[in-house]
């Protein structure tokens, strides 16, 4: 799963909109996602907490609003890190 949370709108302006992102993830994860990657994510525990899935995943809060969740029952993290491979620009 990849998901741009538009944090500024959904969480900063609307305080999570009653857990709408987490509820959407939960609705579509009957068969659990192995990996979830998020853009504009500044508190992954909040998002997966709203889904009730935080205990099933290893959560990694990266820099620049990047987050990753790895399903514990399927995968384990051996190491982690961060490398910039590209840069967004505004037109």
């Amino acid at each position: 799963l990849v998901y741009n949370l538009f944090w500024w709108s959904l969480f900063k302006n609307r305080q999570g909109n009653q857990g709408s992102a987490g509820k959407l993830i939960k609705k579509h994860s009957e068969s659990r996602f192995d990996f979830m990657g998020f853009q504009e994510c500044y508190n992954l525990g909040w998002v997966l907490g709203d889904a009730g899935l935080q205990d099933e995943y290893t959560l990694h809060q990266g820099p620049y609003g990047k987050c990753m969740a790895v399903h514990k029952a399927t995968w384990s993290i051996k190491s982690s890190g961060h490398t910039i491979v590209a840069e967004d620009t505004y037109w």
Side-chain angles (χ1 to χ4, degrees):
L1 170 75
V2 294
Y3 195 158
N4 185 329
L5 293 166
F6 294 99
W7 197 270
W8 63 271
S9 176
L10 183 58
F11 291 91
K12 187 176 179 185
N13 292 349
R14 295 186 280 152
Q15 293 71 51
N17 193 37
Q18 300 173 337
S20 63
K23 289 174 184 173
L24 184 63
I25 292 167
K26 178 74 171 188
K27 178 180 176 183
H28 294 284
S29 65
E30 183 176 317
S31 187
R32 297 292 188 251
F33 296 107
D34 285 339
F35 303 99
M36 293 188 272
F38 300 89
Q39 293 173 266
E40 295 188 43
C41 176
Y42 296 96
N43 185 341
L44 185 54
W46 184 358
V47 178
L48 291 188
D50 287 344
L53 298 173
Q54 71 277 14
D55 294 334
E56 295 183 40
Y57 287 85
T58 300
L59 310 182
H60 178 73
Q61 181 75 49
Y64 311 112
K66 297 180 294 184
C67 297
M68 181 177 74
V70 178
H71 193 236
K72 291 178 185 179
T74 311
W75 298 90
S76 62
I77 302 292
K78 298 298 181 193
S79 67
S80 65
H82 168 78
T83 302
I84 297 172
V85 296
E87 180 178 340
D88 287 341
T89 59
Y90 293 96
W91 303 103

